Amino acid sequence: MSVKGENRLYERVAKDLAGQIAEGRYAVGQRLPSERDLAQTYSVSRPTIREAIIALELDGLVEVRLGSGVYVKAQTPNEGQAGATDIGPFELLEARRAIEAEACAMAAKRITNEELDQLDGLVAEMQAENARDVDRSEDADKRFHMLIAASTQNSAMIAAVELLWEARERSPQTKLMGEKAHAAGVIPRIDEHAAIVSALRSRSPEDARDAMRRHLTRVLNSLLAATEVQEMEEARARIAATRDRYT
């Protein structure tokens, strides 16, 4: 079951920008306002703007040029209308951080030694596959998180975590984000997963919760870095500020 589109903030921004592009407010070849300016215009966060741009990119309306900005590519979507949307990747990670951190805390008191050994095996699998096949590494990552959920022995918690991972695999926006992350060299971090297992072995709910939160916060920050446009105006402003300081 997916969340209705009208409840997605990034989708409302994407729809408005698509309308302005269709009306010629932004012509083909023209650069859109900076991420910072768009965030101020729509009174939303910069991650929300980034989710909106990804939706427009999927529809073929814009292209992202690293080091330059986001440019209008076409006035109408590839298929004549906006494509399917789903939960945005940053919203999804925020939800995962909240729910999986609590699942990890719950698991700390209930996880078995056999399950802990299985988690160690999945960490080793991630480490081996990182150098060979990132898709297989990410599959081991999914099984790692799902095993922690299962070890809570709470069917509602298991269902909640499964729902989040299903949304991750279903969302076109998250898939494109994953491609950008892979291109930027983002892969499952072995040290962070090992720290989660260590916290679970300590049987401390607080340590387990903190380890999972740190891990998913780092994942969120890595995705932000992987999709940073680095617009020319901001770069010029920094250069000008530095020049003014030393002249």
Side-chain angles (χ1 to χ4, degrees), residues 25 41 88 113 182 197 219 233 242 245:
R25 168 67 177 81
T41 297
N113 288 332
H182 290 169
V197 180
V219 172
E233 282 76 9
T242 301
R245 179 179 177 183

Side-chain angles (χ1 to χ4, degrees), residues 7-241:
N7 293 326
R8 302 185 198 116
L9 189 55
Y10 84 86
E11 190 176 41
R12 296 205 297 269
V13 174
K15 184 177 180 180
D16 186 76
L17 285 171
Q20 293 188 58
I21 290 171
E23 293 168 0
R25 168 67 177 81
Y26 298 112
V28 173
Q30 183 177 353
R31 190 179 62 80
L32 292 182
S34 71
E35 185 179 274
R36 185 186 303 276
D37 289 343
L38 287 173
Q40 292 175 348
T41 297
Y42 289 101
S43 298
V44 298
S45 68
R46 294 180 71 172
T48 296
I49 294 299
R50 209 164 296 181
E51 288 176 331
I53 295 301
I54 288 173
L56 295 176
E57 195 175 0
L58 281 168
D59 285 337
L61 292 174
V62 303
E63 63 176 337
V64 176
R65 301 177 190 172
L66 296 180
S68 181
V70 180
Y71 290 79
V72 176
K73 185 178 179 181
Q75 279 192 299
T76 57
N78 291 329
E79 304 300 326
Q81 61 182 6
T85 57
D86 212 304
I87 300 172
F90 295 113
E91 282 192 338
L92 184 60
L93 272 168
E94 283 186 326
R96 284 188 59 202
R97 182 171 58 184
I99 293 171
E100 291 196 47
E102 291 308 311
C104 205
M106 188 181 294
K109 291 293 188 180
R110 302 176 182 179
I111 195 167
T112 66
N113 288 332
E114 180 182 0
E115 288 169 329
L116 286 166
D117 291 342
Q118 290 175 8
L119 289 177
D120 279 333
L122 288 169
V123 173
E125 185 177 342
M126 277 183 260
Q127 185 169 26
E129 294 295 352
N130 270 347
R132 295 192 295 245
D133 189 331
V134 69
D135 289 331
R136 289 185 178 182
S137 180
E138 290 191 343
D139 180 68
D141 179 35
K142 175 185 177 180
R143 285 181 277 131
F144 179 94
H145 286 269
M146 290 308 306
L147 179 54
I148 292 173
S151 69
T152 66
Q153 302 174 30
N154 181 298
S155 61
M157 184 63 81
I158 295 168
V161 174
E162 285 179 344
L163 185 66
L164 290 171
W165 278 86
E166 287 170 4
R168 181 180 186 266
E169 294 172 350
R170 182 184 66 232
S171 168
Q173 291 72 34
T174 299
K175 288 180 182 178
L176 180 55
M177 177 74 76
E179 293 172 6
K180 291 175 179 288
H182 290 169
V186 177
I187 57 176
R189 288 278 294 269
I190 304 308
D191 57 339
E192 293 170 8
H193 289 86
I196 292 170
V197 180
S198 179
L200 287 168
R201 283 193 184 279
S202 75
R203 310 292 178 177
S204 167
E206 293 77 15
D207 290 348
R209 180 186 295 109
D210 289 345
M212 183 62 79
R213 281 190 62 83
R214 284 195 300 271
H215 165 55
L216 291 175
T217 296
R218 198 281 310 167
V219 172
L220 196 154
N221 289 335
S222 293
L223 289 182
L224 283 169
T227 56
E228 185 66 54
V229 175
Q230 298 291 343
E231 287 142 334
M232 291 176 65
E233 282 76 9
E234 294 184 2
R236 290 191 183 115
R238 288 193 295 270
I239 292 170

